[in-house]
Amino acid sequence: MANKKIEIPKINVVPILDAVFIFIFFLLNNTQIMDFFQITTSKPVIKDLQQIPPYELKGKFFKTKLTTENIQVTQDVTEKVVNTFSWTPEGMKDLKTFLIQLKMKNPSEKSMVIKSRGDVKYKRIVEVIDTVQSKDVPEYKDGLFRNIAFEEMR
Amino acid sequence: MSKAHYSMSIYQKKFKCIKNKRLDNEIDITSLLDVLVILLFFLVLNYNPTDLEISPVSNVKIPLSLNREYGNRAVLIQISKDKDFYIGSVFAGSLLSEEGRLSIKDKLQSAYKIQAEQFSKMNQEMTKTHHMGNMNIMFDEELAFDSMNDVMRLAAANGFQHFKLIVMPGKTHE
């Protein structure tokens, strides 16, 4: 009787270890040390919006026009400039604030055309896309303007 | 033999010996479990649930972005600062020469055909996330927009319709 009390029940960890090893093997197979993410875009706008008959046009046609000097936000087919921003960190913050306000006024708008001059660098364009698609605004968790298309500035 | 051993009863001697033998056979796996837990933690942190496989070529510097959208497997193209065009990680031609462009066009067409074949073999569950004509593009961060536009038009002319720009996680604003 005394012996039975002293005996401590031991846990058999062998099956747990087996499972852990299989799990590690599975994870190792699926692990990439470098992380990659994607920005979803549409193919470049081929039609010139001014050539499309007005009755076919719907929405506000927001565009972000990029040059090496500044960023302009335009609306309508006529590309009426509504605001201009610089490429400085402060300018980018102002652009974000402005885009949040724009989204609040037009909650159904989900698209933004990035119209860029040929000499603007891709790094800059990604910076603008990050701002246009900002997901840190609680009201718009899917991003401010989710759909991105590109257009060339002639 | 020690003095204590001689003073023990036969019963005590018998059971002491058995107990000692059992102890000798046990392996302490605590440290092994510690290592495994750390390894597991590290792997879970780096786990990527998608099937996106990318092997970047050395002369393409991928830009940083705040975007955290996971990608899927598709035809991958990489374009360097010097406008060298890679399909996967294989050099397809230079965008600067007419010969290079023709070679790129041919290779894009065959990549599209391969993708169509793979797509036809996919099960229904896979077709929800993988679309025909999807293309993952890795542009060098120093590349200008006219080159980007040129590449996208070239790809669109060869059947690709959905472009995913591949970026790396990081803060963009300086």
Side-chain angles (χ1 to χ4, degrees):
Chain A
M1 288 296 280
N3 265 347
K4 272 185 187 174
K5 271 186 185 175
I6 293 162
E7 267 178 27
I8 303 159
K10 281 170 190 167
I11 305 160
N12 187 7
V13 289
V14 179
I16 300 170
L17 278 177
D18 284 350
V20 167
F21 274 122
I22 291 165
F23 189 46
I24 287 170
F25 181 74
F26 164 77
L27 283 170
L28 272 176
N29 261 347
N30 288 284
T31 301
Q32 251 181 195
I33 302 300
M34 283 167 89
D35 268 341
F36 294 101
F37 295 97
Q38 68 174 25
I39 297 171
T40 307
T41 68
S42 301
K43 63 182 170 183
V45 175
I46 291 165
K47 275 185 185 174
D48 192 340
L49 289 174
Q50 275 142 348
Q51 293 168 355
I52 304 170
Y55 57 85
E56 275 187 24
L57 298 171
K58 286 171 191 170
K60 293 271 185 178
F61 291 98
F62 290 126
K63 286 187 184 180
T64 311
K65 293 172 88 173
L66 313 180
T67 63
T68 45
E69 293 84 38
N70 58 33
I71 307 160
Q72 289 182 333
V73 178
T74 71
Q75 76 174 54
D76 298 331
V77 188
T78 53
E79 293 181 7
K80 189 178 83 184
V81 178
V82 283
N83 217 331
T84 305
F85 305 92
S86 67
W87 281 106
T88 58
E90 290 76 31
M92 296 306 286
K93 274 181 194 165
D94 291 344
L95 172 67
K96 188 175 172 182
T97 314
F98 179 75
L99 289 175
I100 293 169
Q101 287 166 357
L102 202 65
K103 179 73 182 176
M104 280 175 169
K105 284 179 195 164
N106 307 277
S108 58
E109 287 294 325
K110 286 174 184 166
S111 305
M112 177 72 78
V113 174
I114 308 280
K115 188 171 182 175
S116 175
R117 270 238 288 268
D119 53 353
V120 178
K121 285 181 181 173
Y122 177 49
K123 194 179 169 182
R124 293 275 196 197
I125 295 167
V126 170
E127 216 173 308
V128 172
I129 293 172
D130 274 352
T131 312
V132 168
Q133 290 188 329
S134 296
K135 286 178 182 167
D136 53 356
V137 185
E139 291 92 339
Y140 311 107
K141 280 184 179 168
D142 283 343
L144 293 174
F145 297 93
R146 183 78 193 79
N147 307 328
I148 298 285
F150 292 109
E151 191 181 345
E152 194 182 358
M153 201 187 293
R154 293 186 189 100
Chain B
M1 292 244 182
S2 65
K3 267 187 179 179
H5 188 83
Y6 286 115
S7 63
M8 277 195 288
S9 67
I10 296 165
Y11 180 85
Q12 277 175 325
K13 278 176 192 173
K14 187 182 170 189
F15 283 95
K16 199 189 171 194
C17 284
I18 290 165
K19 210 177 175 185
N20 281 344
K21 263 185 190 174
R22 273 188 190 163
L23 277 172
D24 287 343
N25 288 338
E26 277 173 7
I27 305 160
D28 187 10
I29 55 157
T30 316
S31 52
L32 177 71
L33 279 175
D34 285 351
V35 172
L36 284 179
V37 168
I38 292 165
L39 187 65
L40 209 62
F41 183 73
F42 163 78
L43 286 169
V44 168
L45 272 186
N46 287 289
Y47 178 62
N48 187 342
T50 67
D51 58 354
L52 180 70
E53 283 170 16
I54 287 173
S55 42
V57 288
S58 58
N59 54 348
V60 175
K61 197 179 174 199
I62 311 156
L64 302 178
S65 169
L66 299 170
N67 202 299
R68 295 292 179 272
E69 190 185 328
Y70 284 116
N72 285 310
R73 195 176 60 191
V75 172
L76 171 75
I77 60 167
Q78 304 188 54
I79 297 93
S80 75
K81 192 182 168 186
D82 305 319
K83 296 177 188 176
D84 289 338
F85 195 107
Y86 298 84
I87 296 180
S89 49
V90 180
F91 179 70
S94 169
L95 285 166
L96 297 171
S97 70
E98 204 52 48
E99 262 178 49
R101 292 180 78 87
L102 280 172
S103 154
I104 292 165
K105 201 183 159 186
D106 286 344
K107 280 166 187 163
L108 278 177
Q109 280 170 357
S110 45
Y112 186 79
K113 277 179 196 165
I114 293 166
Q115 194 191 39
E117 262 174 46
Q118 285 174 344
F119 196 75
S120 64
K121 287 173 193 165
M122 268 182 201
N123 59 34
Q124 226 176 355
E125 199 57 39
M126 289 279 274
T127 52
K128 284 177 189 169
T129 49
H130 297 68
H131 302 283
M132 188 56 215
N134 265 9
M135 178 175 260
N136 291 329
I137 311 179
M138 280 167 74
F139 290 117
D140 187 281
E141 64 174 21
E142 293 297 317
L143 212 67
F145 181 74
D146 55 359
S147 307
M148 276 176 68
N149 203 34
D150 183 26
V151 169
M152 285 195 277
R153 279 175 190 274
L154 193 66
N158 288 291
F160 294 97
Q161 298 151 5
H162 309 286
F163 300 123
K164 318 281 180 185
L165 306 176
I166 303 297
V167 287
M168 281 176 79
K171 236 182 171 184
T172 49
H173 305 307
E174 285 146 23

